[in-house]
Amino acid sequence: KVETDLAFVAVSSNHVNHEQGGEGGAGRIFNSVGEDQLRLVCHEASEHNVCLLVQQAQAKGIVRQIHDDLFAA
């Protein structure tokens, strides 16, 4: 089956795979997004990013959620 209407979301940060406050950055991303929304995860290719494949209709909300949970003060 070929899926359409997907979006690629990349989260870049210094050492996103390293521990941050007891929980790794990638773990915080997955908790923020919720695994039921993920179609594909590319992790460990670089210590500076995690890439996600999500439904196009959900992409903008997912980007906002990740930003709010990880980067907002």
Side-chain angles (χ1 to χ4, degrees):
K1 176 181 170 186
V2 176
E3 293 187 57
T4 60
D5 299 320
L6 299 172
F8 189 74
V9 175
V11 181
S12 297
S13 176
N14 286 335
H15 310 290
V16 72
N17 295 328
H18 293 236
E19 293 294 317
Q20 298 177 7
E23 182 179 12
R28 292 174 61 203
I29 293 167
F30 300 143
N31 288 338
S32 179
V33 172
E35 66 181 68
D36 59 321
Q37 297 184 59
L38 300 177
R39 304 304 300 147
L40 175 93
V41 175
C42 179
H43 184 238
E44 299 290 337
S46 167
E47 66 179 314
H48 301 290
N49 64 33
V50 173
C51 301
L52 313 170
L53 191 62
V54 300
Q55 292 294 324
Q56 178 68 41
Q58 298 174 330
K60 189 179 282 187
I62 288 172
V63 169
R64 284 187 183 137
Q65 186 67 45
I66 290 170
H67 182 269
D68 290 348
D69 289 351
L70 273 64
F71 303 112

Coordinates of all heavy atoms in Angstrom, one line a residue:
K1 N 0.8 -1.2 0.0 CA 0.0 0.0 0.0 C 0.9 1.2 0.0 O 1.8 1.4 0.8 CB -0.9 0.0 1.2 CG -1.7 1.2 1.4 CD -2.6 1.1 2.6 CE -3.2 2.5 2.9 NZ -3.9 2.6 4.1
V2 N 0.6 2.2 -0.9 CA 1.3 3.4 -0.9 C 0.5 4.5 -0.2 O -0.7 4.7 -0.4 CB 1.5 3.9 -2.4 CG1 2.2 5.3 -2.4 CG2 2.4 2.9 -3.1
E3 N 1.2 5.1 0.8 CA 0.5 6.2 1.5 C 0.8 7.5 0.9 O 1.9 7.8 0.4 CB 0.9 6.2 3.0 CG 0.5 4.9 3.7 CD 0.8 5.0 5.2 OE1 0.3 6.0 5.9 OE2 1.5 4.1 5.7
T4 N -0.2 8.4 1.0 CA 0.0 9.7 0.4 C -0.3 10.8 1.5 O -0.8 10.4 2.6 CB -0.9 10.0 -0.8 OG1 -2.3 9.8 -0.4 CG2 -0.6 9.0 -1.9
D5 N -0.1 12.0 1.2 CA -0.4 13.1 2.1 C 0.4 13.0 3.4 O -0.2 13.1 4.5 CB -1.9 13.2 2.4 CG -2.7 13.5 1.1 OD1 -2.3 14.3 0.3 OD2 -3.8 12.9 1.0
L6 N 1.7 12.7 3.3 CA 2.5 12.6 4.5 C 3.5 13.8 4.5 O 3.8 14.4 3.5 CB 3.3 11.3 4.4 CG 2.5 10.1 4.5 CD1 3.4 8.8 4.2 CD2 1.8 9.9 5.8
A7 N 4.0 14.1 5.7 CA 4.9 15.3 5.9 C 6.1 14.8 6.6 O 6.0 13.9 7.5 CB 4.3 16.4 6.6
F8 N 7.3 15.3 6.3 CA 8.5 15.0 7.0 C 8.9 16.1 8.0 O 8.9 17.3 7.6 CB 9.6 14.9 5.9 CG 10.9 14.4 6.4 CD1 11.1 13.0 6.7 CD2 12.0 15.2 6.6 CE1 12.3 12.5 7.1 CE2 13.2 14.7 7.0 CZ 13.4 13.4 7.3
V9 N 9.0 15.7 9.3 CA 9.3 16.7 10.3 C 10.6 16.4 10.9 O 10.9 15.3 11.3 CB 8.2 16.7 11.5 CG1 8.6 17.6 12.6 CG2 6.8 17.0 10.9
A10 N 11.5 17.4 10.9 CA 12.9 17.2 11.4 C 13.0 18.0 12.7 O 12.7 19.2 12.7 CB 14.0 17.5 10.4
V11 N 13.5 17.4 13.8 CA 13.8 18.2 15.0 C 15.3 18.2 15.2 O 15.9 17.1 15.3 CB 13.1 17.5 16.2 CG1 13.4 18.3 17.5 CG2 11.6 17.3 16.0
S12 N 15.9 19.4 15.2 CA 17.3 19.5 15.3 C 17.7 20.3 16.5 O 17.1 21.3 16.8 CB 17.9 20.3 14.1 OG 17.7 19.5 12.9
S13 N 18.7 19.7 17.2 CA 19.1 20.4 18.5 C 20.5 19.8 18.8 O 20.8 18.6 18.4 CB 18.1 20.1 19.6 OG 18.6 20.6 20.8
N14 N 21.3 20.5 19.5 CA 22.6 19.9 19.9 C 22.4 18.7 20.8 O 21.7 18.8 21.8 CB 23.4 21.0 20.6 CG 24.0 22.0 19.7 OD1 24.2 21.8 18.5 ND2 24.3 23.2 20.2
H15 N 22.9 17.6 20.4 CA 22.9 16.4 21.2 C 21.5 16.0 21.6 O 21.2 15.7 22.7 CB 23.8 16.5 22.4 CG 25.1 17.0 22.1 ND1 26.1 16.3 21.4 CD2 25.7 18.2 22.3 CE1 27.2 17.0 21.2 NE2 27.0 18.2 21.8
V16 N 20.6 15.9 20.6 CA 19.2 15.6 20.9 C 19.1 14.2 21.5 O 18.1 13.8 22.2 CB 18.3 15.7 19.6 CG1 18.6 14.7 18.6 CG2 16.8 15.8 20.0
N17 N 20.0 13.3 21.2 CA 20.0 11.9 21.7 C 20.5 11.8 23.1 O 20.4 10.7 23.7 CB 20.8 11.0 20.8 CG 20.2 10.9 19.4 OD1 19.0 11.0 19.3 ND2 21.0 10.7 18.4
H18 N 21.1 12.8 23.7 CA 21.7 12.7 25.0 C 20.7 13.0 26.1 O 19.6 13.7 25.9 CB 22.9 13.7 25.1 CG 24.0 13.3 24.3 ND1 25.3 13.0 24.7 CD2 24.1 13.0 22.9 CE1 26.1 12.7 23.7 NE2 25.4 12.7 22.6
E19 N 21.0 12.6 27.3 CA 20.1 12.9 28.4 C 19.9 14.4 28.7 O 20.8 15.1 28.6 CB 20.7 12.2 29.7 CG 20.7 10.7 29.7 CD 19.3 10.1 29.6 OE1 18.4 10.5 30.4 OE2 19.2 9.1 28.8
Q20 N 18.6 14.7 28.9 CA 18.3 16.1 29.3 C 17.3 16.0 30.4 O 16.1 15.7 30.3 CB 17.6 16.8 28.1 CG 18.5 16.9 26.9 CD 17.7 17.6 25.7 OE1 16.6 18.0 25.9 NE2 18.3 17.6 24.6
G21 N 17.8 16.3 31.6 CA 16.9 16.3 32.8 C 16.4 14.9 33.1 O 15.3 14.7 33.6
G22 N 17.2 13.9 32.8 CA 16.7 12.5 33.2 C 16.0 11.8 32.0 O 15.8 10.6 32.1
E23 N 15.6 12.5 31.0 CA 14.9 11.9 29.9 C 15.6 12.3 28.6 O 15.8 13.5 28.4 CB 13.4 12.3 29.9 CG 12.7 11.6 28.8 CD 11.2 12.0 28.8 OE1 10.8 13.0 29.5 OE2 10.4 11.4 28.1
G24 N 16.0 11.4 27.8 CA 16.6 11.7 26.5 C 15.8 12.6 25.7 O 14.5 12.6 25.7
G25 N 16.4 13.5 24.9 CA 15.6 14.4 24.0 C 14.7 13.7 23.0 O 13.6 14.1 22.8
A26 N 15.2 12.5 22.5 CA 14.3 11.8 21.6 C 13.1 11.2 22.3 O 12.0 11.3 21.8 CB 15.1 10.7 20.9
G27 N 13.3 10.8 23.5 CA 12.2 10.3 24.3 C 11.2 11.4 24.6 O 10.0 11.2 24.5
R28 N 11.6 12.6 24.8 CA 10.7 13.7 25.0 C 10.0 14.0 23.8 O 8.8 14.4 23.8 CB 11.5 14.9 25.5 CG 12.1 14.7 26.9 CD 13.0 15.9 27.3 NE 12.3 17.1 27.3 CZ 12.9 18.3 27.2 NH1 14.2 18.4 27.1 NH2 12.2 19.4 27.3
I29 N 10.6 13.9 22.6 CA 9.9 14.1 21.3 C 8.8 13.1 21.2 O 7.7 13.4 20.8 CB 10.9 14.1 20.2 CG1 11.9 15.3 20.2 CG2 10.2 14.1 18.8 CD1 13.1 15.1 19.3
F30 N 9.1 11.8 21.4 CA 8.1 10.8 21.2 C 7.0 11.0 22.2 O 5.8 10.8 21.8 CB 8.8 9.4 21.4 CG 9.9 9.1 20.4 CD1 11.0 8.4 20.7 CD2 9.8 9.6 19.1 CE1 12.0 8.2 19.8 CE2 10.8 9.4 18.2 CZ 11.9 8.6 18.6
N31 N 7.3 11.3 23.4 CA 6.2 11.6 24.4 C 5.3 12.8 23.9 O 4.1 12.8 24.2 CB 6.8 11.8 25.8 CG 7.3 10.6 26.4 OD1 7.0 9.5 26.0 ND2 8.2 10.8 27.3
S32 N 5.9 13.8 23.4 CA 5.2 14.9 22.9 C 4.3 14.6 21.8 O 3.1 15.1 21.7 CB 6.2 16.0 22.5 OG 5.6 17.2 22.0
V33 N 4.7 13.8 20.8 CA 4.0 13.6 19.6 C 2.9 12.5 19.8 O 1.8 12.6 19.4 CB 4.9 13.1 18.5 CG1 4.2 12.7 17.3 CG2 5.8 14.3 18.1
G34 N 3.3 11.4 20.5 CA 2.4 10.3 20.7 C 2.7 9.3 19.5 O 2.6 9.7 18.4
E35 N 3.0 8.1 19.8 CA 3.4 7.1 18.8 C 2.3 6.8 17.8 O 2.6 6.4 16.7 CB 4.0 5.9 19.4 CG 3.0 5.1 20.2 CD 3.6 3.8 20.8 OE1 4.4 4.0 21.7 OE2 3.2 2.7 20.4
D36 N 1.1 7.0 18.1 CA 0.0 6.7 17.2 C 0.0 7.6 16.0 O -0.6 7.3 15.0 CB -1.4 6.7 17.9 CG -1.7 8.0 18.6 OD1 -0.8 8.6 19.1 OD2 -2.9 8.4 18.5
Q37 N 0.6 8.8 16.1 CA 0.7 9.7 15.0 C 1.9 9.5 14.1 O 1.9 10.2 13.0 CB 0.7 11.2 15.6 CG -0.5 11.5 16.4 CD -0.5 13.0 16.8 OE1 -0.4 13.8 16.0 NE2 -0.5 13.2 18.1
L38 N 2.8 8.7 14.5 CA 4.0 8.5 13.7 C 3.9 7.4 12.7 O 3.4 6.3 12.9 CB 5.2 8.2 14.6 CG 5.5 9.2 15.7 CD1 6.6 8.7 16.6 CD2 5.9 10.5 15.1
R39 N 4.4 7.7 11.5 CA 4.4 6.7 10.4 C 5.8 6.1 10.2 O 6.0 5.0 9.8 CB 3.9 7.3 9.1 CG 2.6 8.0 9.1 CD 1.5 7.0 9.5 NE 1.4 5.9 8.7 CZ 1.0 4.7 9.1 NH1 0.7 4.4 10.3 NH2 1.0 3.7 8.2
L40 N 6.8 6.9 10.6 CA 8.2 6.5 10.4 C 9.1 7.4 11.3 O 8.8 8.6 11.5 CB 8.7 6.7 9.0 CG 10.2 6.4 8.7 CD1 10.3 4.9 8.3 CD2 10.7 7.3 7.6
V41 N 10.1 6.8 11.9 CA 11.1 7.5 12.7 C 12.5 7.2 12.2 O 12.8 6.1 12.0 CB 10.9 7.1 14.2 CG1 12.0 7.8 15.1 CG2 9.6 7.4 14.8
C42 N 13.3 8.3 12.0 CA 14.7 8.1 11.7 C 15.5 8.7 12.8 O 15.4 9.9 13.0 CB 15.0 8.9 10.4 SG 16.7 8.7 9.9
H43 N 16.2 7.9 13.5 CA 16.9 8.3 14.8 C 18.2 7.7 14.8 O 18.4 6.6 14.2 CB 16.0 7.8 15.9 CG 16.5 8.2 17.3 ND1 16.9 7.3 18.2 CD2 16.8 9.4 17.8 CE1 17.3 7.9 19.3 NE2 17.2 9.2 19.1
E44 N 19.2 8.3 15.4 CA 20.6 7.8 15.5 C 21.4 8.0 14.2 O 22.6 7.7 14.2 CB 20.6 6.3 15.9 CG 20.0 6.0 17.2 CD 20.8 6.5 18.4 OE1 22.0 6.8 18.3 OE2 20.2 6.7 19.4
A45 N 20.8 8.6 13.1 CA 21.7 8.9 12.0 C 22.6 10.0 12.3 O 23.7 10.1 11.8 CB 20.8 9.2 10.8
S46 N 22.2 10.9 13.2 CA 23.0 12.0 13.7 C 22.6 12.3 15.2 O 21.4 12.1 15.5 CB 22.7 13.2 12.9 OG 23.2 14.4 13.5
E47 N 23.5 12.7 16.0 CA 23.2 13.0 17.3 C 22.5 14.3 17.4 O 22.1 14.7 18.5 CB 24.5 13.0 18.2 CG 25.5 14.1 17.9 CD 26.7 14.1 18.8 OE1 26.5 14.0 20.0 OE2 27.8 14.2 18.2
H48 N 22.3 15.0 16.3 CA 21.7 16.3 16.3 C 20.3 16.4 15.8 O 19.7 17.5 15.8 CB 22.6 17.3 15.5 CG 24.0 17.4 16.0 ND1 24.3 18.0 17.2 CD2 25.1 17.0 15.5 CE1 25.6 18.0 17.4 NE2 26.1 17.3 16.4
N49 N 19.7 15.3 15.3 CA 18.4 15.4 14.8 C 17.6 14.1 14.9 O 18.2 13.0 15.0 CB 18.3 15.9 13.4 CG 19.0 15.0 12.4 OD1 18.9 13.8 12.5 ND2 19.5 15.6 11.4
V50 N 16.3 14.2 14.9 CA 15.4 13.1 14.9 C 14.4 13.5 13.8 O 13.9 14.6 13.8 CB 14.6 12.9 16.2 CG1 13.5 11.9 16.1 CG2 15.6 12.5 17.3
C51 N 14.1 12.6 12.9 CA 13.2 12.9 11.8 C 11.9 12.0 11.9 O 12.0 10.8 12.3 CB 13.8 12.6 10.4 SG 15.3 13.6 10.2
L52 N 10.8 12.6 11.6 CA 9.5 11.9 11.8 C 8.7 12.0 10.5 O 8.8 13.0 9.8 CB 8.7 12.5 12.9 CG 9.4 12.8 14.2 CD1 8.5 13.6 15.1 CD2 9.7 11.5 14.9
L53 N 8.0 11.0 10.2 CA 7.0 11.0 9.0 C 5.6 11.0 9.6 O 5.3 10.0 10.4 CB 7.3 9.9 8.1 CG 6.6 9.9 6.7 CD1 7.0 11.2 5.9 CD2 6.8 8.7 5.9
V54 N 4.8 12.0 9.3 CA 3.5 12.1 9.9 C 2.5 12.4 8.8 O 2.8 12.8 7.7 CB 3.5 13.2 11.0 CG1 4.4 12.9 12.1 CG2 3.8 14.6 10.4
Q55 N 1.2 12.3 9.2 CA 0.1 12.7 8.3 C 0.2 14.2 8.0 O 0.4 15.0 8.9 CB -1.2 12.4 8.8 CG -1.5 10.9 8.9 CD -1.6 10.3 7.5 OE1 -2.1 10.9 6.6 NE2 -1.1 9.1 7.5
Q56 N 0.1 14.7 6.7 CA 0.2 16.1 6.4 C -0.8 16.9 7.2 O -0.4 18.0 7.6 CB -0.1 16.2 4.9 CG -0.1 17.7 4.4 CD 1.3 18.3 4.4 OE1 2.3 17.6 4.1 NE2 1.4 19.5 4.8
A57 N -2.0 16.5 7.4 CA -3.0 17.3 8.1 C -2.6 17.5 9.5 O -3.1 18.5 10.1 CB -4.3 16.5 8.0
Q58 N -1.8 16.7 10.1 CA -1.3 16.8 11.5 C 0.0 17.5 11.7 O 0.4 17.8 12.8 CB -1.3 15.4 12.2 CG -2.6 14.7 12.2 CD -2.4 13.3 12.7 OE1 -1.4 12.6 12.6 NE2 -3.5 12.8 13.4
A59 N 0.7 17.7 10.6 CA 2.1 18.2 10.7 C 2.3 19.5 11.4 O 3.1 19.6 12.3 CB 2.7 18.3 9.3
K60 N 1.5 20.5 11.1 CA 1.6 21.8 11.7 C 1.4 21.7 13.2 O 2.1 22.3 14.0 CB 0.7 22.8 11.1 CG 0.9 24.2 11.6 CD 0.0 25.2 10.9 CE 0.4 25.5 9.5 NZ -0.4 26.6 8.9
G61 N 0.4 21.0 13.6 CA 0.1 20.8 15.1 C 1.2 20.0 15.8 O 1.5 20.3 16.9
I62 N 1.8 19.0 15.1 CA 2.9 18.3 15.7 C 4.1 19.2 15.9 O 4.7 19.1 17.0 CB 3.2 17.0 14.9 CG1 2.0 16.0 15.0 CG2 4.5 16.4 15.2 CD1 2.1 14.8 14.1
V63 N 4.4 20.0 14.9 CA 5.6 20.9 15.0 C 5.3 21.8 16.2 O 6.2 22.1 17.0 CB 5.8 21.7 13.7 CG1 6.8 22.8 13.9 CG2 6.3 20.7 12.6
R64 N 4.2 22.4 16.3 CA 3.9 23.3 17.4 C 4.0 22.6 18.8 O 4.5 23.1 19.7 CB 2.5 23.9 17.3 CG 2.4 25.0 16.2 CD 1.0 25.6 16.2 NE 1.0 26.6 15.2 CZ 0.0 26.8 14.3 NH1 -1.1 26.0 14.5 NH2 0.0 27.7 13.4
Q65 N 3.4 21.4 18.9 CA 3.5 20.6 20.1 C 4.9 20.3 20.5 O 5.3 20.5 21.7 CB 2.7 19.3 20.0 CG 2.6 18.5 21.2 CD 1.7 19.3 22.3 OE1 0.7 19.8 21.9 NE2 2.2 19.3 23.5
I66 N 5.7 19.9 19.6 CA 7.1 19.6 19.9 C 7.8 20.9 20.3 O 8.6 20.8 21.3 CB 7.9 19.0 18.6 CG1 7.3 17.6 18.4 CG2 9.4 19.0 18.9 CD1 7.8 17.0 17.1
H67 N 7.6 22.0 19.6 CA 8.3 23.2 20.0 C 7.8 23.6 21.4 O 8.7 24.0 22.3 CB 7.9 24.3 19.0 CG 8.6 25.6 19.4 ND1 8.0 26.6 20.2 CD2 9.8 26.1 19.0 CE1 8.8 27.6 20.3 NE2 9.9 27.3 19.6
D68 N 6.5 23.6 21.7 CA 6.1 24.0 23.0 C 6.6 23.1 24.1 O 7.0 23.6 25.2 CB 4.5 23.9 23.1 CG 3.9 25.0 22.2 OD1 4.6 26.0 21.8 OD2 2.7 24.9 22.0
D69 N 6.7 21.8 23.9 CA 7.1 20.8 24.9 C 8.7 20.9 25.1 O 9.1 20.6 26.2 CB 6.7 19.4 24.6 CG 5.2 19.2 24.7 OD1 4.5 20.1 25.3 OD2 4.7 18.2 24.3
L70 N 9.4 21.1 24.0 CA 10.9 21.0 24.1 C 11.6 22.3 24.2 O 12.6 22.4 24.9 CB 11.4 20.2 23.0 CG 11.5 18.7 23.1 CD1 10.1 18.1 23.3 CD2 12.2 18.1 22.0
F71 N 11.1 23.3 23.5 CA 11.9 24.5 23.4 C 11.3 25.8 24.0 O 12.0 26.8 24.1 CB 12.2 24.8 21.9 CG 12.9 23.6 21.2 CD1 12.2 22.9 20.2 CD2 14.2 23.3 21.6 CE1 12.8 21.8 19.6 CE2 14.8 22.2 20.9 CZ 14.1 21.5 20.0
A72 N 10.0 25.8 24.3 CA 9.4 27.0 24.8 C 9.8 27.2 26.3 O 10.0 26.2 27.0 CB 7.9 26.9 24.7
A73 N 10.0 28.4 26.7 CA 10.5 28.7 28.1 C 9.4 28.6 29.0 O 8.3 28.7 28.8 CB 11.2 30.0 28.1

